[in-house]
């Protein structure tokens, strides 16, 4: 029996003739078949030969997966494949590429199902009802000591683990370039200021070092998005980003309202770098920080002794010229913004004037005394 595909047409005689297997006619037939598959069948042919392997259903059972901060769609896809959630990494990456909401996947642990369509897995990651909540909230303005104590309490991990991990800020991810001062003072390397205050979702096998690294990375992400270092270097007249971070911590500690953060930062700049007579900060919050880090109880201004306020052995003394050695807490975003871009003003004095924490600012001592009188009338002083 003769196969139709083995029969060629002889142009000279108009009759069919047999052709040897593998001749040019067969190549033409193969090309025709390829055109039919790709061109004639269209999307069906493409998907048949090139689509990423994917499950067809919404999955069964339950499985826990963890998305880490800063992971790309490809990295998340690898985790899902390893956990048996999706059939291929490519299928999930394609689904994420086609859905702009995928940029909003939050770090944390999620309950998903096994053998899911990639699109369904993405939908579950975007639904916060599937997120396993195991978070800890660190408020703005906590010192590193206070932050470590809080983390130990909330996680049950030994506080000594946190203290040991906090000893080396560079090992936690703080770039060495951050530890630069342009005011002629020696740099004191400390993680103080870099443990960004926020709510953190923690995994099952979290470690003290891992938590602190997460907080440092968050600091770098936030300040990077703000262009904090670049703007400080360009706009603050030669002040380094580390010095501006110190000022942000001072504003965080001293301002009674968020509206005053930038003004307090301006006062700190004016005192440390301007024509303020002593060139010093004269802020009691720096003294209290020194008491805290040396294991002593903090005090109100009225309770502080002259030695505590002015002592030469205190590197955070009120009378220290210029800025203190390190930040005195871990400031939040609004305080960072205030130090990066403070409002213009010649203020060198401020005082809280009402019980809401609002302050009045002055550029001379005479007006400052008037503001203090208002504070006394309002029962603040």
């Amino acid at each position: 029996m003769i196969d139709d595909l083995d029969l060629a047409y002889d142009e000279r005689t108009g009759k069919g003739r047999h052709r040897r297997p593998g001749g040019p006619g067969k190549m033409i037939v193969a090309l025709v078949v390829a055109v039919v598959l790709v061109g004639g069948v269209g999307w069906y042919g493409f998907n048949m030969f090139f689509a990423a392997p994917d499950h067809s259903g919404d999955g069964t059972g339950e499985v826990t997966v963890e998305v880490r901060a800063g992971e790309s769609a490809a990295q998340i896809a690898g985790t899902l494949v390893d956990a048996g959630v999706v059939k291929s990494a490519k299928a999930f990456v394609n689904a994420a590429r086609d859905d702009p909401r995928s940029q909003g996947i939050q770090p944390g642990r999620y309950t998903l199902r096994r053998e899911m369509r990639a699109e369904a897995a993405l939908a579950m990651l975007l639904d916060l009802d599937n997120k396993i909540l195991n978070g800890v909230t660190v408020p703005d303005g906590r010192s590193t000591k206070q932050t470590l104590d809080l983390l130990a309490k909330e996680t049950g991990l030994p506080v000594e683990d946190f203290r040991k991990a906090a000893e080396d800020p560079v090992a936690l991810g703080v770039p060495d370039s951050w530890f630069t001062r342009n005011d002629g003072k020696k740099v004191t390397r400390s993680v103080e200021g870099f443990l960004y205050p926020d709510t953190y979702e923690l995994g099952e096998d979290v470690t003290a070092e891992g938590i602190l690294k997460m907080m440092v990375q968050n600091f770098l992400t936030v300040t990077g998005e703000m262009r904090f270092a670049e703007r400080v270097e360009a706009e603050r007249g030669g002040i380094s980003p580390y010095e501006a971070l110190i000022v942000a911590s001072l504003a965080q500690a001293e301002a009674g309202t968020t509206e005053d953060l930038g003004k307090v930062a301006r006062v700190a700049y004016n005192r440390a770098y301007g024509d303020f007579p002593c060139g010093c900060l004269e802020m009691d919050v720096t003294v209290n920080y020194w008491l805290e880090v040396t294991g002593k109880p903090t005090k109100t201004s009225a309770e502080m002794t002259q030695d505590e306020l002015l002592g030469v052995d205190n590197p955070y003394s009120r009378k220290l010229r210029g800025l203190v050695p390190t930040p005195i807490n871990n400031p939040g975003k609004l305080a960072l913004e205030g130090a990066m871009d403070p409002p213009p003003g010649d203020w060198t004095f401020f005082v809280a004037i009402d019980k809401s924490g609002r302050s009045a600012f002055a550029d001379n001592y005479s007006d400052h005394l008037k503001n203090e009188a208002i504070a006394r009338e309002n029962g603040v002083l």
Side-chain angles (χ1 to χ4, degrees), residues 136-139 142-157 159 162 198 215:
V136 56
T137 298
V138 179
R142 294 287 182 96
S143 68
T144 289
K145 182 181 183 304
Q146 293 166 352
T147 299
L148 302 187
D149 289 343
L150 173 65
L151 292 172
K153 178 182 177 182
E154 293 294 323
T155 64
L157 296 171
V159 71
F162 287 101
D198 204 343
M215 298 177 76

Side-chain angles (χ1 to χ4, degrees), residues 295-318:
K296 300 173 184 176
T298 57
K299 300 180 178 181
T300 65
S301 300
E303 294 171 336
M304 292 180 183
T305 66
Q306 285 297 105
D307 186 57
E308 289 167 340
L309 289 168
L310 311 174
V312 294
D313 294 332
N314 176 3
Y316 294 82
S317 165
R318 279 173 54 93

Side-chain angles (χ1 to χ4, degrees), residues 29-286:
V29 171
L31 288 172
V32 170
V33 172
V35 169
V36 170
L37 284 173
V38 177
V41 187
W43 65 267
Y44 177 78
F46 179 83
N47 279 292
M48 178 178 177
F49 289 97
F50 300 105
D54 198 2
H55 293 300
S56 59
D58 291 332
T60 59
E62 286 189 355
V63 60
T64 299
V65 299
E66 182 173 0
V67 175
R68 300 184 185 278
E71 284 192 324
S72 65
Q75 291 170 315
I76 296 172
T79 299
L80 297 180
V81 170
D82 292 343
V85 175
V86 299
K87 195 168 188 177
S88 71
K90 185 178 180 182
F92 182 82
V93 170
N94 289 346
R97 179 199 60 204
D98 295 338
D99 190 338
R101 296 179 305 157
S102 65
Q103 298 297 318
I105 296 176
Q106 297 182 10
R109 292 186 300 138
Y110 293 82
T111 300
L112 302 183
R113 294 190 285 270
R114 291 183 175 84
E115 299 184 357
M116 303 181 68
R117 288 180 300 114
E119 186 178 343
L122 175 61
M124 288 192 74
L125 287 174
L126 291 169
D127 185 350
L128 294 183
D129 286 342
N130 299 308
K131 192 174 183 182
I132 302 171
L133 298 179
N134 179 29
V136 56
T137 298
V138 179
D140 294 357
R142 294 287 182 96
S143 68
T144 289
K145 182 181 183 304
Q146 293 166 352
T147 299
L148 302 187
D149 289 343
L150 173 65
L151 292 172
K153 178 182 177 182
E154 293 294 323
T155 64
L157 296 171
V159 71
E160 286 302 325
D161 288 359
F162 287 101
R163 290 172 182 166
K164 183 174 179 57
E167 290 176 357
D168 188 348
V170 175
L172 291 176
V174 180
D176 189 68
S177 58
W178 264 93
F179 296 108
T180 300
R181 296 185 69 141
N182 297 335
D183 59 0
K185 293 193 173 187
K186 180 181 178 181
V187 173
T188 301
R189 292 174 182 266
S190 169
V191 77
E192 194 76 71
F194 296 100
L195 299 179
Y196 189 73
D198 204 343
T199 296
Y200 293 89
E201 296 296 331
L202 308 178
E204 288 182 333
D205 300 323
V206 71
T207 64
E209 182 181 16
I211 295 173
L212 299 190
K213 284 183 174 180
M214 189 189 310
M215 298 177 76
V216 168
Q217 181 57 53
N218 199 10
F219 170 87
L220 297 175
T221 298
V222 172
T223 53
E225 291 171 349
M226 294 168 59
R227 299 185 67 248
F228 181 87
E230 294 88 342
R231 289 194 58 185
V232 167
E233 290 173 338
E235 300 172 18
R236 298 276 63 82
I239 292 169
S240 75
Y242 189 63
E243 292 165 64
L245 179 59
I246 294 173
V247 169
S249 74
L250 296 170
Q252 186 76 74
E254 286 280 9
T257 66
T258 56
E259 290 78 9
D260 287 340
L261 286 166
K263 287 186 174 182
V264 174
R266 175 59 71 185
V267 169
Y269 285 131
N270 289 344
R271 289 185 179 181
Y273 299 100
D275 296 327
F276 197 56
C278 69
C280 54
L281 292 172
E282 287 198 337
M283 294 181 179
D284 295 347
V285 291
T286 65

